[in-house]
Amino acid sequence: MSHTTHSGQTLDLAIGGMTCASCAARVEKKLNRMAGVEATVNYATERARVTFPADISIDALVATVEATGYTAALPAPPVATDTADAPDGPVASDAAAPLRQRLLVSLALTVPVVLLSMVPALQFEFWQWLALTLAAPVATWGALPFHRAAWTNLRHGAATMDTLISIGVTAAFTWSLYALFIGGAGETGMTMPFTLLPSRGSGADEIYLEVASGVTVFLLAGRYAEARAKRRSGAALRALMQLGAKDVAVLRDGDEVRIPVQELAPGDDFVVRPGEKVATDGTVVSGRSAIDASLLTGESVPVDVGPGDTVVGATVNAGGRLVVRATHVGTDTQLAQMARLVEDAQNGKAAVQRLADRVSAVFVPVVIVLAAATLGFWLGTGGGAQLAFTAAVAVLIIACPCALGLATPTALMVGTGRGAQLGILIKGPEVLESTRRVDTIVLDKTGTITTGAMSLVDVLLAPGEDRATVLRLAGALEHASEHPVARAVAASAAAEVGPLPGVEEFVNLEGLGVQGVVMGDGVTHAVVVGREALLSQWSQPLPDMLVRGKAAAENEGRTAVAVGWDGAARAVLVVADTVKPTSAEAVARFRQLGLRPMLLTGDNGAAAHTVARSVGISAEDVVAEVLPSGKVDVVKRLQAEGAVVAMVGDGVNDAAALAQADLGLSIGAGSDVAIEASDLTLVRGDLLAAVDAIRLSRRTLHVIKGNLFWAFAYNVAALPLAAAGLLNPLVAGAAMAFSSVFVVTNSLRLRRFRASTGGAA
């Protein structure tokens, strides 16, 4: 993936050969030493995000990485297969097969070695030589990935986690060879007591084959579990990329031709049958149906579409046959853009991770010095070679900073992937930090709290009038008009009373309303719909009850139109932008999250306060009749008062305010400008999605901090125990492997996050 920024070109490189966080830190450091290059390397995703000037080639970047001892290449495009998204499917198996084979063989050889070494009753004559025969392949071939990486790093003058493991395993195995061939450990009748603590003595008659092989098996098991868990943590993004249709029925000269979706071009008309996925983003040319977008947006209710409506690729046609004209294909589709946003977020680093990276970069050399100091201390104080050696090896093995490197990326991968499944796109890790600090949430009205579409909300009838007749005659006349209020009346009337009669002599009176002749109940009526002044011109004054009802509606910011025919005023129709059904619940949940909800709109004060009351926003938190530039000023004023502001909006007029806010959330389909200006994009046009976005972001940040705490605490607590000679290297190896697996498993808990629409998580 590559794109151009104001400071140069940015691309992703797939980095191979990294085995720990300090590897990633080394690659990042080397790349950043190049003039004009800015790079971040993510160990969990095995990607480097590099921004570089025009005078540096991609080959030069690759060469720099290779000179550091790793491989680099442009990432291959995702392969859409039916099984690739299964965490334990064929793709996962193939990638982990060599590691699993090495683990299983090493485990089979190690179990008897550990039993022989730790259970005196099993120690027959010359058992130690059988243990050597079994342990030798484990300490050499089984631990080969660690030895190979340590040698590569050594050639480049560096030390990583693999260096610690390789030194520890090699030291234990070499000491055992010395004790067997030169010391007294190879003699007949040699036995070893069972102990978890190192003992004092010369060590010349003690062997550590169970340490060399046991540590290797524990770390191989940890690395294998880590590889599988890392794959599961990225499964949501792979599933998102593979949601799209694989082939499509295109119309060619009236005939349907089945082609791969990659060959679809903008402007092509294609057929979507009931139950099929929409192949790409487009506009409905013919047909009516309901579209199920739950796979893409998390929205459970299908949306009705007809000619002229837009549809999104990867959604499912739940009803009739549609013919769709492709508008965006390939990397321009909404699905591809969602996947790209998620991938960008996963490649980033939160501030807390940068601290962990700095610690990892200096940790390994410090541990090697500490191990040498431990060895020297125990030898110098008369602790004996055996205690000194075991304590030093335990220090080397327990201190690996693996968990530190995995703490943030794995949580970020799972959190952003889960968000994408729920229609929440988190732009980057720094967004997580913002959600924790936010205390005020500013909500746009139209399209955010409300649907953004006018609809008929009330019918006020004069005495003796029939609602169905009023709707049939008024709806028929309004159906001939293009005015938004007229469309709302016509749509509601058709939905309630069925097909509308035809209109003759239709006249649109600019600024007043419409008039025409409508056939109803076998009788022709001269109907007028519009302002009160229009009915007065026809000598059809409103009765007092309709005057009062009309005034009350207008005081609430609603639009009221009068209806009359055959010389008398018959009704007042009240039209308004309706509040979304979940908005009130969302506002209540914002308060539960410790946020102060505010309403900010360009609409008139009466309409704004009516909407605010209906969703539970207090009157003092309503700011109405604000121009787009004024929205920015309101956000700035709140920030100047000390508030940390989140802004939720959907239109071009909200873009500047979204960018100014500490946290910007664009809701629904929104505009491209609003999405670009926001930090979080909510594909669902539901305000509860904003609640979920903040909950998920905070939950992800909580998991990251928990991971880092345990990773740091583990090393801080274990190192003194190892240096004090209170930790068997075998136990140290198991604990070190467990710490990495614990961090990844803890991150995977985010996969269980539930959207508010389905109950609290």
Side-chain angles (χ1 to χ4, degrees):
M1 192 185 102
S2 171
H3 59 273
T4 302
T5 68
H6 66 279
S7 58
Q9 191 180 23
T10 298
L11 66 84
D12 290 344
L13 290 175
I15 307 297
M18 293 193 299
T19 54
C20 66
S22 49
C23 297
R26 282 188 57 226
V27 176
E28 187 172 300
K29 189 174 179 181
K30 285 282 188 181
L31 286 170
N32 283 325
R33 281 181 179 169
M34 299 175 73
V37 172
E38 293 179 17
T40 58
V41 180
N42 190 315
Y43 166 50
T45 60
E46 297 177 335
R47 294 285 179 94
R49 168 63 54 84
V50 189
T51 301
F52 58 100
D55 59 343
I56 292 183
S57 67
I58 296 174
D59 290 341
L61 297 172
V62 171
T64 299
V65 175
E66 290 176 345
T68 317
Y70 305 91
T71 63
L74 291 173
V79 179
T81 64
D82 294 333
T83 53
D85 60 332
D88 304 317
V91 175
S93 300
D94 291 344
L99 191 56
R100 186 176 67 243
Q101 181 186 35
R102 196 178 296 269
L103 169 63
L104 292 176
V105 172
S106 299
L107 178 64
L109 295 172
T110 298
V111 169
V113 175
V114 172
L115 290 174
L116 286 170
S117 302
M118 304 191 82
V119 182
L122 299 177
Q123 292 170 1
F124 55 85
E125 195 171 347
F126 295 121
W127 67 270
Q128 65 270 45
W129 295 103
L130 174 61
L132 174 63
T133 305
L134 296 173
V138 180
T140 51
W141 174 80
L144 188 59
F146 308 116
H147 299 321
R148 187 188 292 128
W151 173 246
T152 301
N153 290 320
L154 182 62
R155 283 184 11 239
H156 291 91
T160 66
M161 184 194 90
D162 296 290
T163 309
L164 301 181
I165 297 169
S166 180
I167 292 174
V169 171
T170 303
F173 187 67
T174 306
W175 183 282
S176 301
L177 291 178
Y178 162 79
L180 284 168
F181 289 100
I182 298 174
E187 296 175 0
T188 304
M190 190 278 274
T191 59
M192 280 175 52
F194 171 73
T195 176
L196 286 177
L197 295 178
S199 55
R200 295 172 181 268
S202 68
D205 57 352
E206 290 280 338
I207 58 175
Y208 293 92
L209 294 172
E210 81 282 6
V211 171
S213 54
V215 165
T216 299
V217 166
F218 281 131
L219 297 181
L220 282 174
R223 191 160 288 184
Y224 176 64
E226 180 188 308
R228 284 166 56 93
K230 274 165 62 179
R231 178 169 181 80
R232 285 203 301 277
S233 68
L237 175 58
R238 287 192 302 279
L240 186 68
M241 289 174 164
Q242 290 150 12
L243 278 179
K246 305 297 183 287
D247 54 23
V248 58
V250 181
L251 290 177
R252 302 269 197 249
D253 300 322
D255 296 326
E256 291 184 25
V257 180
R258 206 91 195 166
I259 62 170
V261 74
Q262 294 87 344
E263 296 178 14
L264 201 60
D268 283 346
D269 288 353
F270 60 93
V271 176
V272 190
R273 290 187 176 80
E276 284 187 338
K277 287 181 180 177
V278 178
T280 193
D281 298 0
T283 305
V284 177
V285 176
S286 65
R288 290 192 174 276
S289 182
I291 292 293
D292 179 0
S294 58
L295 285 173
L296 198 63
T297 67
E299 179 59 65
S300 58
V301 181
V303 178
D304 292 328
V305 296
D309 291 332
T310 57
V311 290
V312 177
T315 54
V316 178
N317 180 10
R321 179 181 184 271
L322 294 174
V323 176
V324 179
R325 183 160 296 153
T327 54
H328 297 92
V329 297
T331 56
D332 294 329
T333 63
Q334 186 173 326
L335 177 64
Q337 290 168 359
M338 285 176 63
R340 193 155 56 241
L341 276 172
V342 175
E343 192 171 26
D344 286 351
Q346 293 182 350
N347 281 333
K349 289 187 181 181
V352 284
Q353 177 63 22
R354 296 186 187 281
L355 171 63
D357 285 353
R358 286 198 294 273
V359 170
S360 295
V362 298
F363 202 67
V364 174
V366 167
V367 167
I368 292 175
V369 171
L370 182 61
T374 301
L375 182 70
F377 172 80
W378 286 113
L379 287 174
T381 55
Q386 185 176 342
L387 176 59
F389 171 77
T390 50
V393 170
V395 166
L396 287 171
I397 291 168
I398 198 70
C400 298
C402 237
L404 285 177
L406 291 167
T408 295
T410 51
L412 202 57
M413 286 170 73
V414 182
T416 53
R418 180 63 183 141
Q421 291 175 328
L422 298 174
I424 301 165
L425 305 180
I426 302 171
K427 275 203 175 172
E430 62 283 349
V431 172
L432 305 179
E433 305 278 356
S434 302
T435 59
R436 179 174 53 87
R437 298 181 293 110
V438 164
D439 54 29
T440 303
I441 186 156
V442 177
L443 308 171
D444 174 50
K445 181 179 81 72
T446 307
T448 300
I449 293 179
T450 67
T451 60
M454 304 290 274
S455 61
L456 184 66
V457 295
D458 202 1
V459 179
L460 308 175
L461 299 171
E465 296 300 333
D466 173 58
R467 177 184 174 99
T469 303
V470 168
L471 287 176
R472 185 178 298 108
L473 296 179
L477 192 59
E478 294 284 56
H479 185 66
S481 172
E482 287 299 313
H483 193 279
V485 171
R487 286 203 300 269
V489 170
S492 298
E496 189 169 330
V497 301
L500 302 173
V503 179
E504 296 177 2
E505 301 177 32
F506 174 82
V507 179
N508 184 4
L509 301 166
E510 193 69 36
L512 287 174
V514 291
Q515 65 187 52
V517 177
V518 182
M519 177 69 73
D521 300 324
V523 181
T524 301
H525 303 282
V527 184
V528 289
V529 179
R531 294 183 181 274
E532 187 177 355
L534 176 61
L535 271 72
S536 297
Q537 289 179 12
W538 284 75
S539 301
Q540 298 176 6
L542 295 180
D544 288 344
M545 65 170 297
L546 292 186
V547 171
R548 289 193 300 272
K550 178 175 177 291
E554 288 173 341
N555 285 338
E556 292 183 347
R558 295 172 169 178
T559 301
V561 293
V563 181
W565 65 80
D566 300 344
R570 312 285 180 164
V572 168
L573 306 179
V574 181
V575 175
D577 180 7
T578 53
V579 173
K580 293 178 182 177
T582 56
S583 292
E585 183 186 351
V587 168
R589 285 180 180 256
F590 285 135
R591 293 191 193 281
Q592 290 171 9
L593 290 170
L595 304 176
R596 170 195 175 195
M598 294 185 67
L599 177 62
L600 179 61
T601 179
D603 211 342
N604 67 70
H609 280 89
T610 299
V611 169
R613 278 196 303 275
S614 69
V615 297
I617 295 176
S618 54
E620 62 270 20
D621 288 332
V622 176
V623 184
E625 299 177 29
V626 179
L627 296 172
S629 58
K631 291 186 176 183
V632 178
D633 295 334
V634 171
V635 172
K636 285 181 178 177
R637 175 173 59 78
L638 289 168
Q639 290 170 328
E641 292 170 359
V644 181
V645 181
M647 168 81 188
V648 187
D650 74 323
V652 173
N653 63 339
D654 300 318
L658 288 170
Q660 174 63 38
D662 299 284
L663 181 70
L665 299 92
S666 63
I667 191 167
S671 69
D672 290 342
V673 178
I675 290 170
E676 190 63 34
S678 64
D679 303 302
L680 284 154
T681 300
L682 312 172
V683 183
R684 262 166 44 211
D686 179 350
L687 201 52
L688 278 176
V691 175
D692 291 337
I694 292 172
R695 287 176 53 239
L696 176 60
S697 297
R698 288 182 175 180
R699 181 77 61 86
T700 304
L701 186 65
H702 178 74
V703 168
I704 288 172
K705 291 192 168 181
N707 284 348
L708 287 169
F709 170 78
W710 287 111
F712 273 116
Y714 158 82
N715 278 320
V716 168
L719 270 173
L721 289 176
L726 299 175
L727 208 57
N728 186 306
L730 195 63
V731 178
M736 181 264 157
F738 172 76
S739 70
S740 295
V741 175
F742 169 80
V743 161
V744 180
T745 306
N746 189 44
S747 298
L748 288 172
R749 291 190 304 123
L750 286 166
R751 294 166 71 188
R752 299 201 297 268
F753 180 89
R754 293 286 175 265
S756 296
T757 46

